[in-house]
Amino acid sequence: MSDLTLAQWQHKAAHLTLPSQAFIDGTYRDAVNGATFDCINPANGQLLTRVASCDAADAELAVKAARAAFDDKRWCGLSPKQRKLIMQRFAELMRLNLVELALLESLDMGKPIGDAMGYDAPAAANCIAWNAEAIDKIYDQVAPVEESALALVTREALGVVAAIVPWNFPLVMACWKLGPALATGNSVILKPSEKSPLTALRIAGLAKEAGIPDGVFNVLPGFGHTVGEALAMHMDVDCITFTGSTKIGKHLVQCSGKSNLKRAFMECGGKSPNIVLADAPDLDAAARSAVGAIFYNQGEVCTAASRLLVQNSIKPQFMERLLAHAREWISANPLDPTTRIGAMVDHIQMEQVLNYIAIGQQEGAKLLLGGKRTQPEEGGYYIEPTIFDDVTPTMRIFREEIFGPVLAVTGFDTLEEAIALGNDTDYGLAAAIWTADLNQAVKGSRALRAGTVFVNNWDGGDMTMPFGGFKQSGNGRDKSLHALEKYTELKSTWIQLE
């Protein structure tokens, strides 16, 4: 499908069935109160469909169904082999429907169809398959105690998991939560963002088709202050797992404390530094990577390398390369397979990014590229790739998460200065260092306070590597076997022998 034209993708979009109902206890249904919200296509500002707007009443139904499914062990009571086979079937059904899932993702949040087909849809299916394979590969422990006792250390499913996921990678982030939570035997209630609910609703039907029992996987579209709040405060939800802004993450942790002290795992914002030293092995590769690291997915990425720190001795020539590569990124129709930057998710996000661009100019940063809305006649929410130079640590575009295609460039003289600049943030999600010197690479990666540090690349990794942040970037971990630990309780059993 990668060789389809814009016209062919548009034809498929015109004939696509869009999911619109909540999924509770194995059935698609309207919200209890009958309310809906508009799902808008960011590429043209037009209505895609109206989606059920769930609230506390729907949350109550979903929690009741999820709890019943957990208590009667229709899922967690299955053998590891049985759960594995069902989840493998779920992943296979996702793969068989990659085109539909990618198209839903592109229409819903404005990402290029090439990215949705090349990464989002297959990566989500791979995540489910990977967690399925892990089910019968993880062992419990026998503690080394005296011969008169047998001491067991085992893990059990938490119970009911509420997963609240963001709008920038709706399908992938959902599966990062869903995969390990289901693999360890929990019941799951997924709350997708109201800005991009379609793929979450679609995979619910695929999960049922694969054989996941009713009540085990539920999807509640709606708003954070209604259904999201209801889940976070519910006394029968055992875990809240979240990816999104630091502000909302803090609020959800407070909800945990105010309710039943449910597990609360937060993956929050970032303002990640990308450090290029003078001895970087390939300056052109570093420049090309720096451009992709901020403009990919319209800059709507929590790990976006939004702060580029370049050693002053090479800064002039590096900036020439950077700008040359940046000019190759042009905002265009997300359904055009040649598009590299699509539309911002909605009008609100577009205006927020444009406001930050204005702030950068007002505070004295030097605008080198972009800075404007494009194609307003199309009705969509497009912004030019934007680069600021001479950005200082006191400027808001240096300190605050913009979540758009806006790059802030700052010069430095020494590695120590670069590390200090890199760590001068409330966040700690990702960082990178480009150098040919192994000593500088190790020293720098150890000193950077971030959950992931890339050396001579940006965004490397796969399902084997944990993902999460330091500081106000959160406390949870997605991906890897470490993620499965988060969805279990640790139990110690001491058996006294004769």
Side-chain angles (χ1 to χ4, degrees):
M1 290 295 176
S2 60
D3 57 350
L4 294 182
T5 65
L6 170 60
Q8 289 171 319
W9 279 113
Q10 289 174 326
H11 177 78
K12 285 185 174 293
H15 294 83
L16 184 65
T17 299
L18 302 177
S20 61
Q21 295 177 297
F23 190 83
I24 302 174
D25 203 13
T27 304
Y28 283 107
R29 60 180 75 183
D30 295 334
V32 171
N33 63 6
T36 62
F37 61 87
D38 290 347
C39 185
I40 302 297
N41 184 347
N44 55 28
Q46 296 178 7
L47 179 71
L48 283 170
T49 188
R50 291 183 173 88
V51 177
S53 185
C54 297
D55 61 16
D58 304 279
E60 192 64 39
L61 289 176
V63 173
K64 182 178 180 181
R67 176 56 62 189
F70 184 73
D71 287 346
D72 68 21
K73 299 186 181 298
R74 69 187 73 165
W75 178 244
C76 65
L78 295 179
S79 69
K81 180 180 180 180
Q82 288 174 304
R83 289 204 310 277
K84 174 182 175 179
L85 289 173
I86 292 172
M87 286 188 64
Q88 287 175 325
R89 176 60 178 159
F90 182 22
E92 183 58 26
L93 287 173
M94 290 178 66
R95 292 189 179 109
L96 291 173
N97 291 273
L98 282 185
V99 171
E100 180 187 5
L101 292 174
L103 191 51
L104 287 172
E105 201 82 329
S106 179
L107 290 172
D108 207 7
M109 65 80 51
K111 72 171 65 223
I113 189 65
D115 293 342
M117 274 295 294
Y119 172 70
D120 296 74
N126 178 61
C127 176
I128 298 298
W130 192 92
N131 280 281
E133 285 291 346
I135 290 176
D136 57 6
K137 309 296 189 301
I138 299 175
Y139 290 75
D140 291 324
Q141 299 170 325
V142 177
V145 299
E146 59 266 25
E147 291 186 0
S148 62
L150 176 63
L152 306 178
V153 181
T154 56
R155 289 192 173 273
E156 299 178 0
L158 289 172
V160 176
V161 173
I164 300 178
V165 297
W167 47 260
N168 59 330
F169 290 92
L171 183 58
V172 171
M173 296 296 180
C175 290
W176 281 8
K177 314 290 188 188
L178 185 60
L182 287 178
T184 47
N186 296 281
S187 296
V188 180
I189 303 169
L190 175 63
K191 207 295 280 186
S193 169
E194 69 280 1
K195 298 184 180 186
S196 55
L198 299 183
T199 48
L201 295 173
R202 180 66 184 99
I203 65 170
L206 297 179
K208 180 179 175 70
E209 184 180 346
I212 291 179
D214 293 350
V216 172
F217 178 30
N218 309 271
V219 182
L220 299 181
F223 294 86
H225 65 276
T226 55
V227 67
E229 184 86 1
L231 291 171
M233 291 295 295
H234 204 291
M235 296 297 290
D236 214 18
V237 171
D238 302 293
C239 172
I240 188 90
T241 177
F242 168 77
T243 296
S245 73
T246 297
K247 177 182 178 181
I248 300 302
K250 290 180 178 181
H251 176 69
L252 293 175
V253 171
Q254 291 175 331
C255 289
S256 169
K258 291 177 180 177
S259 56
N260 60 344
L261 208 62
K262 56 178 61 69
R263 297 280 189 93
F265 299 120
M266 306 292 114
E267 192 271 281
C268 300
K271 193 67 179 176
S272 301
N274 190 10
I275 300 170
V276 181
L277 295 171
D279 71 339
D282 186 335
L283 288 182
D284 193 66
R288 189 186 314 111
S289 175
V291 167
I294 183 58
F295 297 149
Y296 178 75
N297 206 53
Q298 303 74 247
E300 296 165 324
V301 185
C302 54
T303 56
S306 53
R307 292 186 296 147
L308 178 61
L309 310 179
V310 185
Q311 198 155 23
N312 285 320
S313 61
I314 59 161
K315 191 163 178 278
Q317 60 265 43
F318 187 84
M319 294 303 295
E320 288 182 9
R321 297 169 185 264
L322 182 79
L323 289 169
H325 287 297
R327 292 189 180 99
E328 298 173 358
W329 291 66
I330 300 172
S331 300
N333 191 322
L335 292 185
D336 186 333
T338 65
T339 293
R340 302 182 80 173
I341 294 188
M344 307 302 293
V345 71
D346 63 8
H347 189 270
I348 294 173
Q349 187 65 21
M350 180 185 70
E351 291 297 333
Q352 177 175 301
V353 174
L354 291 172
N355 183 55
Y356 270 111
I357 292 172
I359 290 170
Q361 292 175 292
Q362 292 164 9
E363 293 187 339
K366 183 179 180 180
L367 182 63
L368 298 182
L369 185 72
K372 298 177 182 177
R373 180 183 182 182
T374 66
Q375 309 162 72
E377 69 281 355
E378 301 290 334
Y381 314 126
Y382 299 94
I383 294 179
E384 294 175 320
T386 300
I387 297 177
F388 282 101
D389 197 3
D390 299 335
V391 178
T392 65
T394 60
M395 295 179 181
R396 289 180 63 186
I397 61 171
F398 182 94
R399 310 206 67 81
E400 299 177 17
E401 186 176 38
I402 299 173
F403 227 63
V406 181
L407 179 63
V409 183
T410 303
F412 68 88
D413 291 317
T414 65
L415 175 61
E416 290 71 24
E417 182 185 356
I419 298 300
L421 287 167
N423 288 336
D424 186 12
T425 174
D426 292 333
Y427 299 107
L429 193 54
I433 183 167
W434 295 76
T435 177
D437 187 332
L438 179 62
N439 292 303
Q440 290 197 113
V442 173
K443 180 180 179 181
S445 60
R446 286 175 174 172
L448 287 164
R449 296 287 295 163
T452 301
V453 178
F454 307 108
V455 177
N456 295 332
N457 73 97
W458 186 271
D459 209 28
D462 58 20
M463 280 299 301
T464 65
M465 295 291 286
F467 177 82
F470 289 10
K471 299 190 284 186
Q472 293 188 43
S473 286
N475 59 7
R477 288 296 183 273
D478 291 319
K479 304 197 307 177
S480 84
L481 297 180
H482 294 283
L484 280 82
E485 299 171 1
K486 303 296 185 291
Y487 297 99
T488 59
E489 293 280 15
L490 199 62
K491 177 177 283 186
S492 298
T493 303
W494 186 282
I495 302 173
Q496 195 66 45
L497 304 176
E498 293 183 2

